[in-house]
C-alpha cells in the first residue's frame, strides 16, 4: 500500500490587513514590506473574537474537507496537527479537534515544527499508511499568528497571517500511479534560538521572536538541498518537477530556492503576496489554490518543501 494526496482545502478569515493599514500604527511602509518580503496583505481573524482557539479553525477546515470528500469522520484513522499556538501544552490540539469533529476512531497527535510542519506530517502519515496502520490520515495546519506576533515589533509582525489548511492522505494499491514518492527531513537544534515563541515574564503573553537574517540563510540553503536530496532518493531530477510549492515565507526565499534548483518562475507556486506567512497552513493553502485553478493536474510531480522553528526542514515529492 502507499499514500496518495486525495484532498486539500483551506479556511481563511475574511478580514484583509494590508501593508498600508499596518503602516498606520507601525513605523513601516508598503514599499518596505513589499520589496523585502513580497507580501502585500494578509488575512487575520477578528481581534475582538478573543475566545477563538486554534482548535476552532482546525475543526472548521477539517469538517470542510470531510464534507468535500463525503467522508464519515469515523473513517479517519489518524489526525496530525500543527500550530504555532496550540490550545494547551496538553492535551494536544489534535485530540481536541478529534473530539470536536467526532473522529472517535482516530489516533490524534500534534507535531511541533512551526512552519516546517507539512513535510514532517506527510512523511509520518505516509509511513503509517505504508505500514498498514492507517487508511485515512487527516493533516491539519491551523494558525492564529495574529495572536502571537508582537504588533509593536516591525521585524516580525508584518510577515505573518492567519489561516488553516487540511490535507487528506489515503491508502491505495501500489499499482496506482499517484502517491508520495519520497521524503527527506532534517532538524538542527543548534538553531533553536533564532525562531522562538516566547512568553512575557510579566503578563505571560506569547510573542514571536526571530533573527530574520539567520532564518533567511538557512531557508535558502536547506530548502533547495532538501529538494535535491529527495529527488536523488527517487531517482528523479530537477527538470522532472512540474510544481515547486515551498512554504510561503518570503518571495526572496522562494525565488532563491527555485533558482538554486534551476526551475523557471512558472513552476513556482506563490501566494505569499496575499496571505503572508501562514506557517503550518501555508503549503495546504497554496496547494488548494493551485489545484482549484487547474494549474496542478493529475499525474504532475509536485515538490513540497518547508523550513521552520527548531530548526526543522524537509521535502516531500508527490505524484498528484
Ligand atoms: C525579516 C526580513 C524580511 C528582513 O529583511 P532584511 O533584508 O534581512 O532586512 P534587515 O534585517 O537587514 O533590516 C534592514 C532594516 O530594516 C528595518 N526593518 C525591519 N523590519 C522593518 C519593517 N517592517 N519596516 C521598515 N523597516 C524595517 C530594520 O530595523 C533594519 O534597519 P537598520 O538597518 O536601521 O537596523 C528577512 O530577513 C526575512 O524574511 N527573513 C526570514 C524570515 C522568515 O521567513 N521567518 C519565518 C520562517 S519559517
Amino acid at each position: 500500500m502507499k499514500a496518495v494526496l486525495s484532498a486539500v482545502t483551506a479556511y481563511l478569515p475574511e478580514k484583509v490587513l494590508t501593508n498600508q493599514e499596518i503602516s498606520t500604527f507601525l513605523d513601516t511602509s508598503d514599499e518596505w514590506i513589499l520589496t523585502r518580503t513580497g507580501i502585500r496583505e494578509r488575512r487575520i481573524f477578528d481581534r475582538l473574537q478573543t475566545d477563538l482557539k486554534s482548535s476552532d479553525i482546525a475543526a472548521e477546515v477539517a469538517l470542510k474537507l470531510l464534507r468535500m470528500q463525503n467522508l464519515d469522520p469515523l473513517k479517519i484513522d489518524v489526525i496530525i496537527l500543527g500550530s504555532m499556538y496550540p490550545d494547551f501544552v496538553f492535551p494536544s490540539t489534535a485530540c481536541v479537534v478529534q473530539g470536536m469533529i467526532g473522529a472517535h476512531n482516530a489516533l490524534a497527535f500534534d507535531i511541533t515544527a512551526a512552519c516546517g510542519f507539512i513535510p514532517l506530517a506527510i512523511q509520518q502519515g505516509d509511513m503509517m499508511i505504508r505500514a498498514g496502520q492507517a487508511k485515512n490520515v487527516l493533516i491539519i495546519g491551523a494558525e492564529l499568528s495574529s495572536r502571537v506576533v508582537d504588533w509593536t515589533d516591525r521585524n516580525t509582525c508584518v510577515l505573518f497571517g492567519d489561516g488553516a489548511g487540511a490535507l487528506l492522505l489515503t491508502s491505495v494499491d501500489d499499482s496506482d500511479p499517484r502517491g508520495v514518492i519520497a521524503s527527506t527531513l532534517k532538524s538542527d537544534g543548534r538553531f533553536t534560538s533564532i525562531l522562538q515563541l516566547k512568553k512575557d515574564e510579566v503578563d505571560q503573553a506569547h510573542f514571536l521572536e526571530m533573527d530574520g537574517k539567520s532564518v533567511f540563510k538557512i531557508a535558502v540553503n536547506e530548502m533547495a538541498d532538501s529538494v535535491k536530496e529527495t529527488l536523488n532518493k527517487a531517482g528523479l531530477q530537477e527538470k522532472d518537477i512540474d510544481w515547486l510549492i515551498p512554504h510561503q515565507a518570503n518571495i526572496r526565499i522562494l525565488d532563491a530556492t527555485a533558482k538554486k534548483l534551476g526551475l523557471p518562475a512558472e513552476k513556482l507556486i506563490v501566494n505569499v503576496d496575499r496571505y503572508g506567512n501562514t506557517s503550518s497552513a501555508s503549503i495546504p493553502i497554496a496547494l488548494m489554490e493551485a489545484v482549484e485553478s487547474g494549474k496542478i493536474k493529475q499525474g504532475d510531480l509536485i515538490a513540497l518543501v518547508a523550513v521552520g522553528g527548531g530548526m526543522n526542514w524537509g521535502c516531500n515529492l508527490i505524484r498528484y
Side-chain angles (χ1 to χ4, degrees):
M1 301 309 284
K2 63 176 171 175
V4 295
L5 180 56
S6 50
V8 55
T9 194
Y11 172 62
L12 287 150
E14 279 172 20
K15 161 82 185 146
V16 173
L17 180 65
T18 63
N19 294 344
Q20 199 63 48
E21 277 176 272
I22 294 182
S23 62
T24 62
F25 60 83
L26 200 63
D27 180 16
T28 187
S29 65
D30 178 43
E31 198 265 333
W32 192 96
I33 302 171
L34 190 59
T35 52
R36 300 293 179 110
T37 71
I39 300 167
R40 290 176 189 277
E41 59 191 38
R42 70 287 294 138
R43 302 288 185 93
I44 60 161
F45 285 99
D46 186 348
R47 285 203 236 178
L48 298 176
Q49 232 184 313
T50 48
D51 57 348
L52 187 72
K53 295 194 179 66
S54 296
S55 58
D56 294 321
I57 62 170
E60 199 71 50
V61 77
L63 290 171
K64 190 173 170 194
L65 185 138
L66 293 175
R67 276 195 304 271
M68 241 171 74
Q69 294 301 99
N70 201 14
L71 185 66
D72 183 341
L74 295 173
K75 294 224 166 99
I76 300 289
D77 305 301
V78 183
I79 299 172
I80 309 177
L81 187 142
S83 177
M84 292 198 293
Y85 191 41
D87 291 16
F88 311 103
V89 174
F90 71 84
S92 72
T93 307
C95 275
V96 178
V97 172
Q98 186 228 36
M100 289 168 85
I101 67 173
H104 306 305
N105 295 321
L107 165 71
F109 60 94
D110 290 0
I111 292 179
T112 308
C115 309
F117 167 71
I118 285 292
L120 252 160
I122 290 182
Q123 194 255 14
Q124 290 294 306
D126 179 40
M127 285 199 308
M128 291 174 116
I129 286 174
R130 281 181 195 276
Q133 291 172 355
K135 285 199 166 78
N136 289 304
V137 177
L138 176 61
I139 295 172
I140 309 168
E143 300 295 355
L144 292 174
S145 314
S146 60
R147 309 290 157 103
V148 296
V149 292
D150 174 355
W151 285 102
T152 64
D153 177 13
R154 66 179 185 176
N155 292 293
T156 53
C157 72
V158 301
L159 303 175
F160 293 90
D162 292 345
L167 306 174
L168 185 69
L169 295 181
T170 307
S171 151
V172 293
D173 196 76
D174 284 332
S175 60
D176 197 304
R178 301 167 301 161
V180 179
I181 299 171
S183 299
T184 303
L185 300 170
K186 297 261 167 72
S187 302
D188 195 330
R190 287 172 295 179
F191 300 117
T192 50
S193 64
I194 65 171
L195 185 52
Q196 289 186 321
L197 188 67
K198 290 186 160 175
K199 238 183 186 180
D200 186 275
E201 281 175 18
V202 180
D203 66 8
Q204 295 294 300
H206 289 90
F207 66 99
L208 195 142
E209 200 175 78
M210 179 180 71
D211 168 358
K213 273 193 194 310
S214 301
V215 174
F216 193 98
K217 275 188 213 148
I218 292 176
V220 169
N221 291 326
E222 302 300 348
M223 291 216 293
D225 282 357
S226 190
V227 176
K228 286 183 189 169
E229 198 177 328
T230 319
L231 284 167
N232 221 12
K233 279 183 193 166
L236 294 165
Q237 295 176 352
E238 285 84 340
K239 66 173 173 47
D240 298 319
I241 295 175
D242 293 303
W243 301 105
L244 178 68
I245 312 185
H247 162 54
Q248 306 284 309
N250 178 322
I251 190 66
R252 289 154 57 209
I253 296 176
L254 306 195
D255 286 344
T257 303
K259 198 167 164 212
K260 276 185 158 227
L261 292 167
L263 294 177
E266 305 84 72
K267 288 191 172 189
L268 180 65
I269 302 288
V270 177
N271 68 10
V272 69
D273 51 323
R274 285 172 292 124
Y275 303 115
N277 177 346
T278 55
S279 194
S280 64
S282 91
I283 288 179
I285 296 169
L287 191 58
M288 177 198 72
E289 288 195 338
V291 168
E292 285 189 351
S293 70
K295 271 188 177 172
I296 296 183
K297 298 192 174 56
Q298 211 158 21
D300 283 353
L301 183 69
I302 58 178
L304 311 183
V305 62
V307 61
M311 299 295 284
N312 292 293
W313 57 88
C315 167
N316 317 108
L317 274 182
I318 300 174
R319 182 71 65 190
Y320 185 72

